[in-house]
Amino acid sequence: MSLPDKTGVYGGGRMGAGIAHALLVAGADVVVVETDPEAAAKARTRIDANLARSVERGITATGVLSVTTDAADLSGAGLVIEAVPEIPGLKASVLASIELAARDAVIASNTSSLSIDGLAAGLAAAERFVGLHFFNPVPASALVEVVVGKATAAAVVAQAQEWVGDLGKSAITVADSPGFASSRLGVAIALEAMRMLEEGVATAEDIDTAMTLGYRHPVGPLRTTDLVGLDVRLDIADHLEHELGPRFAPPQLLRDKVEAGELGRKSGKGFYTW
Ligand SMILES: NC(=O)c1ccc[n+]([C@@H]2O[C@H](COP(=O)([O-])OP(=O)(O)OC[C@H]3O[C@@H](n4cnc5c(N)ncnc54)[C@H](O)[C@@H]3O)[C@@H](O)[C@H]2O)c1
């Protein structure tokens, strides 16, 4: 295993806790940085719960966890992954403090939609900055997108790919571009499925079954949209339309449903009733 002995995760929420868990199970020590003692305690509880579930499945973590509110504790880490909320200004300031605290670390962002080049613009050491896009829930997902910025050093890309393998996951390597590979493809299929529903081509169930039985997708595109949240997918489609053009224009049906509060599973109704 080539993972650094000491790693850091900045932000111990849903994704950060999952990433910390993956690192601990792979044998790396992890320092999780949170905003305040209350958030730090919550992060520890989340990670401990993930670890307890692993133990039930016979997987023991050999890495040591520490949770802190002081970014200086990242000193000496070889890899620090940022997983704070998707707010550009917040990410920029967090990345700058990682750069200061962990002077030799590879710095990664788990952003799902922001440009890696945009985030790199504020860094002095942009060559050691890369996107590592994990999926939710982290323990159950096999994929990590390694997102390569214009300034990312080739050695950093190679190192990141190897580390993803150390975490027991598969890396795909994607140039920094809107929606990377996964969101762009996933949203493209979902928007076409919505247009088909709008045009009365088939029912939601039959459109989903076209993909589950026809293409072995585990879940159809409309059900996936219900699980992700229609509002979340509308935001991504708006962003991709802005960046990539009208082929990502959200169908009126999606706008109408979001307007009506039909957001998918979380609101009880989306393309399906939950
Ligand atoms: N949730 C998903 O399905 C998913 C999937 C892939 C990528 N992402 C990306 O991962 C990132 C995190 O998302 P999440 O769902 O885990 O969010 P979350 O809200 O669950 O967690 C964010 C955590 O960051 C902490 N935080 C906020 N400001 C901080 C600061 N200044 N210093 C330290 N900690 C701070 C919060 O206390 C919180 O615990 C986002 O960029 C998101 O786009 C999310």
Side-chain angles (χ1 to χ4, degrees):
M1 187 195 76
S2 72
L3 276 169
D5 293 336
K6 178 174 177 178
T7 65
V9 177
Y10 213 115
R14 191 177 356 184
M15 295 304 291
I19 295 166
H21 169 265
L23 289 163
L24 290 163
V25 166
D29 292 347
V30 183
V31 176
V32 172
V33 184
E34 261 294 350
T35 31
D36 53 59
E38 198 183 319
K42 240 169 126 176
R44 182 175 278 282
T45 306
R46 244 180 229 271
I47 298 166
D48 284 346
N50 283 347
L51 290 172
R53 273 195 294 276
S54 292
V55 169
E56 281 166 19
R57 295 199 307 271
I59 304 163
T60 331
T62 52
V64 176
L65 169 69
S66 51
V67 184
T68 179
T69 55
D70 185 358
D73 292 339
L74 294 171
S75 169
L79 164 67
V80 181
I81 302 171
E82 165 282 305
V84 298
E86 197 81 339
I87 303 165
L90 173 63
K91 292 225 188 255
S93 77
V94 160
L95 290 170
S97 66
I98 295 173
E99 187 176 41
L100 265 183
R103 296 192 167 273
D104 301 315
V106 168
I107 303 170
S109 174
N110 184 47
T111 180
S112 38
S113 66
L114 300 173
S115 153
I116 293 300
D117 290 336
L119 292 171
L123 295 176
E127 71 282 355
R128 52 186 172 95
F129 180 57
V130 67
L132 280 182
H133 182 214
F134 289 79
F135 289 75
N136 182 32
V138 179
S141 61
L143 175 66
V144 179
E145 287 184 293
V146 175
V147 186
V148 183
K150 285 195 178 68
T152 312
V156 168
V157 176
Q159 187 67 86
Q161 291 163 335
E162 191 179 338
W163 287 339
V164 169
D166 291 338
L167 295 176
K169 304 193 185 295
S170 295
I172 60 167
T173 306
V174 187
D176 184 32
S177 53
F180 310 142
S182 57
S183 296
R184 184 163 163 175
L185 277 173
V187 169
I189 294 173
L191 295 179
E192 197 55 33
M194 290 171 211
R195 284 190 279 265
M196 288 165 66
L197 187 63
E198 215 168 41
E199 291 165 18
V201 172
T203 61
E205 287 84 352
D206 284 355
I207 291 169
D208 276 347
T209 303
M211 298 312 285
T212 52
L213 296 187
Y215 287 84
R216 297 188 178 211
H217 287 200
V219 185
L222 297 171
R223 192 175 290 275
T224 300
T225 301
D226 269 13
L227 295 173
V228 170
L230 275 66
D231 51 337
V232 174
R233 282 228 142 152
L234 177 58
D235 283 349
I236 300 172
D238 278 334
H239 170 69
L240 291 179
E241 181 190 13
H242 183 260
E243 298 293 323
L244 296 171
R247 67 188 189 278
F248 282 96
Q252 192 56 43
L253 177 63
L254 179 59
R255 288 201 188 284
D256 291 347
K257 281 187 172 289
V258 171
E259 184 73 33
E262 294 180 18
L263 306 181
R265 184 171 61 172
K266 63 186 167 192
S267 74
K269 193 170 187 321
F271 294 103
Y272 294 87
T273 301
W274 292 83

